[in-house]
Amino acid sequence: MSKIKPSQGAPYARIMGVGGYRPTRVVPNEVILETIDSSDEWIRSRSGISTRHWASPEETVAMMSIEASGKAIADAGITPQQIGGVIVSTVSHFKQTPAVATEIADKIGAIKPAAFDISAGCAGFGYGLTLAKGMVVEGSAEYVLVIGVERLSDLTDLEDRATAFLFGDGAGAVVVGPSDVPQIGPTVWGSEGDKSETIKQTVPWDEYRNGRPEKFPAITQEGQAVFRWAVFEMAKVAQQALDAAGISADDLDVFIPHQANMRIIDSMVKTLKLPAHVTVARDVETTGNTSAASIPLAMERLLATGAAKSGDTALVIGFGAGLVYAATVVTLP
């Protein structure tokens, strides 16, 4: 018989507060057209994007995260000192170590929390949310801060006609805490590493260091392959998340998919046969693809504008480089 004392966590977990930060510079498609041979109409028809936000040198990964975190903590009605864990999902923090989560934890005033970064691309928020839920239920932390943050403008090849218009910068954060009733459903997540070449960094850092090639590494993707995978395979994952939560599309109030591309979002809505009453996040139009930050940023905007309200049932799904994915049903804070 085990002598280990059982965990003393909460019965369930919930999202208690959400916050976001968008850089002050708004970049219209006209700026992108200065370096690629395209048109505003083509960009809008292919992606639905009209503008995106790009960070200034002062708007670092840490700075944007701290701003978003402060809003999420205030929205949750707790103090920074109560935070027991900080999880940051990012692919654009350029220091291999230490984790930027430790800097953020210190700057917001948390007291010796667990703090670490994860790399799960555009599914990173879902991965972080699942880890935070486990920490709260297991009892290793009462409140966990989950941050998705990117400065993808640093990893954008402005001469690549396929991707130059896609990416934006920003940070989104949520506080996960205890609940007496289920408010974060089971996560359906996974990976398909045989498709890892479809979204990738152009060259590894060591090749760039050695001068092969001279061009700074950037994110590239096989657009059509990614589109087909996202529309057909991720719709199946989204349905599995609904099934795991024990609800149907009719029970949903809100759908918050990763803000990759408006055509992907609209196709998933059609494939899932979402009812007309379901509010669909389309933040990509003015924010672009912010990878790990896209879901919490979209969530924050829906709540701030009144398009969604506290207590709504939402399906969230992220998918991207890896290829990886994560979907779950949550109650909005």
Side-chain angles (χ1 to χ4, degrees):
M1 181 179 293
S2 174
K3 297 180 180 179
I4 299 173
K5 181 180 178 180
S7 300
Q8 299 295 316
Y12 305 102
R14 65 188 175 110
I15 299 175
M16 299 178 59
V18 60
Y21 181 85
R22 292 173 171 82
T24 55
R25 183 188 178 193
V26 177
V27 180
N29 288 338
E30 286 72 20
V31 172
I32 307 299
L33 296 175
E34 294 173 3
T35 53
I36 61 171
D37 180 17
S38 187
S39 68
D40 176 66
E41 181 183 5
W42 187 88
I43 292 174
R44 289 173 185 261
S45 65
R46 299 290 291 182
S47 68
I49 299 171
S50 60
T51 62
R52 72 284 292 147
H53 295 255
W54 283 356
S56 67
E58 294 76 24
E59 291 170 315
T60 63
V61 165
M63 176 270 186
M64 293 190 293
S65 298
I66 291 165
E67 291 293 321
S69 297
K71 295 175 184 177
I73 292 168
D75 192 43
I78 65 170
T79 67
Q81 292 76 25
Q82 292 175 276
I83 298 291
V86 178
I87 303 171
V88 178
S89 178
T90 185
V91 298
S92 48
H93 174 57
F94 286 169
K95 286 185 179 179
Q96 194 73 41
T97 192
V100 72
T102 59
E103 177 185 350
I104 295 165
D106 177 63
K107 294 290 177 59
I108 65 173
I111 302 173
K112 298 183 179 180
F116 56 95
D117 298 351
I118 61 174
S119 176
C122 304
F125 175 74
Y127 274 56
L129 184 66
T130 303
L131 294 172
K133 172 187 173 183
M135 292 167 70
V136 171
V137 173
E138 187 269 340
S140 60
E142 186 174 12
Y143 302 102
V144 180
L145 182 65
V146 180
I147 303 165
V149 57
E150 301 293 1
R151 274 182 53 120
L152 294 181
S153 58
D154 291 335
L155 289 168
T156 299
D157 180 354
L158 294 178
E159 296 179 348
D160 180 4
R161 190 172 183 270
T163 61
F165 57 89
L166 286 176
F167 302 120
D169 304 336
V174 300
V175 172
V176 177
S179 175
D180 292 330
V181 295
Q183 295 196 52
I184 301 175
T187 299
V188 177
W189 57 354
S191 64
E192 297 184 34
D194 60 315
K195 300 179 181 65
S196 62
E197 292 295 302
T198 56
I199 305 174
K200 63 180 182 179
Q201 183 172 307
T202 49
V203 294
W205 296 114
D206 59 343
E207 287 190 19
Y208 177 71
R209 178 189 62 190
N210 295 331
R212 306 187 307 271
E214 296 180 0
K215 199 169 187 178
F216 193 76
I219 297 173
T220 185
Q221 68 176 29
E222 298 174 16
Q224 287 302 314
V226 172
F227 180 86
R228 290 192 298 269
W229 177 77
V231 170
F232 298 108
E233 297 305 318
M234 291 305 97
K236 297 175 186 177
V237 171
Q239 183 60 56
Q240 289 169 13
L242 291 175
D243 295 341
I247 67 172
S248 69
D250 291 335
D251 298 313
L252 278 180
D253 300 303
V254 184
F255 179 44
I256 311 177
H258 164 49
Q259 301 294 293
N261 178 304
M262 195 75 78
R263 291 168 62 220
I264 291 175
I265 294 170
D266 290 341
S267 295
M268 289 184 71
V269 169
K270 183 177 180 180
T271 302
L272 287 167
K273 299 179 180 178
L274 295 184
H277 74 263
V278 176
T279 297
V280 179
R282 292 188 171 89
D283 194 44
V284 67
E285 179 181 2
T286 56
T287 306
N289 179 343
T290 57
S291 189
S294 77
I295 290 175
L297 278 174
M299 183 184 296
E300 185 260 354
R301 175 162 282 174
L302 288 174
L303 290 167
T305 60
K309 63 183 185 301
S310 174
D312 278 353
T313 299
L315 169 63
V316 299
I317 179 170
F319 43 86
L323 293 170
V324 295
Y325 55 87
T328 188
V329 175
V330 303
T331 300
L332 294 182

